[in-house]
Amino acid sequence: MTETRPHVLIVDDDPDIRRPLARFLEQHGFRTALAANGRELDAALGASHPDLIVLDVMMPGEDGLSICRRLRDRGGPPVLLLTARSDEIDRILGLELGADDYLPKPFNPRELVARVKAILRRAEALPRRRRQEAGVVRFDRWQFDLAQPELHGEDGETVALSSGEHALLVAFVVRAGLTLTRDQLLDLTRGREAQLFDRSIDNQVSRLRRKIEPDAQRPRLILTRWGSGYVFAAELTWLA
């Protein structure tokens, strides 16, 4: 029989946190796997495909922020960060690096379960990617390596992208042709707390248009669907 319970990977170097947390999640209908560090996380990802990762920020060796960054770069599953209550900068950095939510320690396990369920509901509601978030694509006059925050033009021009512009373009490219609402774009680019750090998705789209459109006042690559959101309408050629 196919296992249908959501699968959560818990990554924390403290066994007194990860083991009781695994038991609590299992009591509430989840499957769990455990990892104590980045190396064990990579091994776990090689053996299974978790629906969500609960990731501690402060770990020996590779820390949670570095892990979060590379998970985001390769299109990994949603991430819930566990942070020290006083480390506000870690929470902000984590969200900027692509975490979907955070929970300060110490926390109530019931709140963690509620946040896990909320993240999974949002992930389920998002349009499915047409491609993985990796590779090199050509569109219009640009060549774009999805892992790099820059565009290369046919004339040799290189255009740098901010972290927000890069995340937005990746979201558009891997879901080209699909209409994405503003809320969906917030979830795809910055996660639950995005509104605290972005003035608006509309401003991000405007900035990106100014960099990639031949005429930003008459866009033909990123189209507005009034009352719905935006759609990336460029014709794509995947090179890798």
Side-chain angles (χ1 to χ4, degrees):
M1 183 173 63
T2 303
E3 178 61 80
T4 59
R5 292 180 299 160
H7 185 196
V8 178
L9 173 59
I10 303 167
V11 186
D12 196 304
D13 63 302
D14 187 347
D16 291 332
I17 291 178
R18 66 176 184 268
R19 290 172 184 165
L21 185 54
R23 289 195 296 268
F24 192 84
L25 285 168
E26 288 167 2
Q27 291 168 2
H28 286 78
F30 295 90
R31 289 181 295 143
T32 64
L34 303 179
N37 49 49
R39 177 178 52 79
E40 291 186 9
L41 173 143
D42 290 337
L45 292 178
S48 64
H49 302 283
D51 298 297
L52 181 141
I53 297 175
V54 176
L55 177 62
D56 186 30
V57 169
M58 296 299 294
M59 294 189 296
E62 185 180 18
D63 66 26
L65 294 178
S66 173
I67 292 171
C68 184
R69 179 189 295 110
R70 62 184 179 86
L71 287 172
R72 179 71 179 188
D73 287 346
R74 68 189 191 193
V79 173
L80 171 61
L81 285 180
L82 302 180
T83 71
R85 184 171 297 277
S86 61
D87 290 341
E88 181 179 3
I89 189 64
D90 283 347
R91 297 198 291 273
I92 294 172
L93 284 174
L95 294 167
E96 290 181 340
L97 291 172
D100 294 82
D101 202 352
Y102 69 86
L103 191 60
K105 293 180 178 179
F107 55 84
N108 186 319
R110 292 185 181 277
E111 182 178 0
L112 183 137
V113 168
R115 289 178 181 250
V116 166
K117 289 180 178 179
I119 293 170
L120 292 176
R121 282 196 302 268
R122 291 202 310 271
E124 184 63 27
L126 290 173
R128 298 297 182 187
R129 292 174 299 199
R130 298 188 186 275
R131 294 275 304 210
Q132 290 296 310
E133 295 181 5
V136 180
V137 66
R138 181 181 295 136
F139 64 90
D140 196 59
R141 66 187 189 278
W142 303 107
Q143 184 166 306
F144 177 42
D145 181 341
L146 273 66
Q148 302 297 323
E150 60 187 19
L151 291 162
H152 297 281
E154 293 176 341
D155 57 359
E157 176 188 13
T158 297
V159 174
L161 301 173
S162 70
S163 59
E165 293 162 353
H166 177 240
L168 186 60
L169 184 56
V170 170
F172 276 135
V173 165
V174 300
R175 293 173 175 82
L178 300 176
T179 299
L180 300 173
T181 69
R182 289 166 176 81
D183 285 345
Q184 288 171 339
L185 287 168
L186 282 171
D187 280 333
L188 289 167
T189 56
R190 290 295 181 90
R192 171 179 172 273
E193 302 290 339
Q195 63 271 23
L196 298 179
F197 309 107
D198 286 316
R199 283 165 45 198
S200 75
I201 278 293
D202 295 327
N203 287 345
Q204 287 275 19
V205 169
S206 294
R207 288 194 290 270
L208 184 58
R209 278 173 169 163
R210 288 196 291 269
K211 292 187 175 182
I212 71 173
E213 297 275 6
D215 182 353
Q217 299 303 313
R218 297 176 177 82
R220 56 183 177 83
L221 302 178
I222 303 175
L223 304 181
T224 301
R225 294 289 187 248
W226 297 108
S228 299
Y230 298 98
V231 61
F232 193 65
E235 182 177 342
L236 305 181
T237 301
W238 288 91
L239 307 178

